[in-house]
Each structure stands twice: as structure tokens, then as C-alpha cells.
Amino acid sequence: MMEALQDVGQVAPIRIATRPGTRIVDSEKITVNLGYVDLGHVDLLVSEGAYANRSDFIRTAVRNQIERHADITRQSVARKAVEMGLRHYGRAELEAARAAGVALDIRVLGLAVIAADVSPDLARASIASLEVLGSLQASPAVKRALADRLR
């Protein structure tokens, strides 16, 4: 998906600082239900060597559809303030927002990461709203603290 987002021209490289032992997951597992005939077509293409496996086929199909509808993505990003790609919110950034009396309205298309050292209280004090089209990585306690602010 990140390749498709880069094709849209909206992804800026972002450095992520993590503590030793912290792992940023670069993909998320989803479940897709397919009819038997569609699945048979996928398996045929895999067996003929067109794709390495089912996952390769599905990733390619998703990227193709994202590229096909890139104009919708561009228009939406132009209308709304959306950060695309990987966005990391660390304790220092959220503390600075709280100190300035600013509550952040966060909108991310991709992966939003709230650092492991961010407390639920700090998250509530510094984040007014949170909308993630993709995946949110945060501690369970922070997710619970922001549950009423998730869109």
C-alpha cells in the first residue's frame, strides 16, 4: 500500500525513533471472503506463476485499485487536512501541544503511531480528535482513553 501512496505523490519520508525492543509493524493482516469461483481463479493464476501466492495477488489487486482511484484520494486530501503515510506522535510533541493549550485534530491515511511512552492522560489532554484511515498503533490504555474521540 505504501508504494501506491507514494505513486499518488503525497508521502514524505518520516524517521521513526523507537526504543530498543519496540517494533513498528509495516503491514496489517486482514481477512477477505471470496467466492469459490473467484478463489479458484486466484489459485489458477498462482499455479501458473503469475503471482507468488494468494497474498501477492491480493496486494497487487489492492494497489491496482488504489492507483485506479488516485484522483479520489488527491481530491479528498486537497479538501481535508490529511497526513499520508506513516505518522508518529511522540511524547515530546504531545507535551508541547498540551503546554501550548492546543488540542490536535489528527487525520492520517496510512499508519498512525502513538508512542508507547505516551500516557492515557497526555493523549486525552493533547488530542481532540483522531481519524485513521488505515491502522492505529497505540497502547490499549491510550486507545481506550481516546475511544470517544475516534472517528
Side-chain angles (χ1 to χ4, degrees), residues 66-81:
I66 290 170
E67 184 178 322
R68 181 177 176 192
H69 300 290
D71 285 344
I72 294 171
T73 301
R74 273 192 286 277
Q75 291 168 8
S76 180
V77 169
R79 280 192 324 270
K80 307 169 187 173

Side-chain angles (χ1 to χ4, degrees), residues 4 51 57-69:
Y51 298 93
F57 172 86
I58 292 167
R59 278 190 297 272
T60 301
V62 167
R63 288 181 187 128
N64 289 341
Q65 289 301 306
I66 290 170
E67 184 178 322
R68 181 177 176 192
H69 300 290

Side-chain angles (χ1 to χ4, degrees), residues 5-84:
L5 292 176
Q6 289 169 338
D7 289 343
V8 174
Q10 300 293 322
V11 176
I14 297 173
R15 293 192 118 183
I16 302 297
T18 59
R19 295 185 317 203
T22 303
R23 186 172 149 243
I24 302 288
V25 179
D26 64 354
S27 64
E28 185 161 330
K29 184 175 283 211
I30 64 168
T31 301
V32 177
N33 295 320
L34 294 177
Y36 297 118
V37 174
D38 291 338
L39 184 57
H41 282 270
V42 172
D43 286 343
L44 175 66
L45 292 168
V46 169
S47 72
E48 291 297 317
Y51 298 93
N53 51 46
R54 290 174 173 177
S55 292
D56 183 35
F57 172 86
I58 292 167
R59 278 190 297 272
T60 301
V62 167
R63 288 181 187 128
N64 289 341
Q65 289 301 306
I66 290 170
E67 184 178 322
R68 181 177 176 192
H69 300 290
D71 285 344
I72 294 171
T73 301
R74 273 192 286 277
Q75 291 168 8
S76 180
V77 169
R79 280 192 324 270
K80 307 169 187 173
V82 177
E83 295 186 66
M84 293 182 64

Side-chain angles (χ1 to χ4, degrees), residues 82-100:
V82 177
E83 295 186 66
M84 293 182 64
L86 173 62
R87 181 61 165 90
H88 184 267
Y89 294 90
R91 188 178 79 212
E93 179 179 3
L94 297 180
E95 285 175 342
R98 179 179 60 185

Side-chain angles (χ1 to χ4, degrees), residues 116-128:
D117 62 349
V118 172
S119 71
D121 290 339
L122 175 58
R124 283 196 64 77
S126 58
I127 299 173

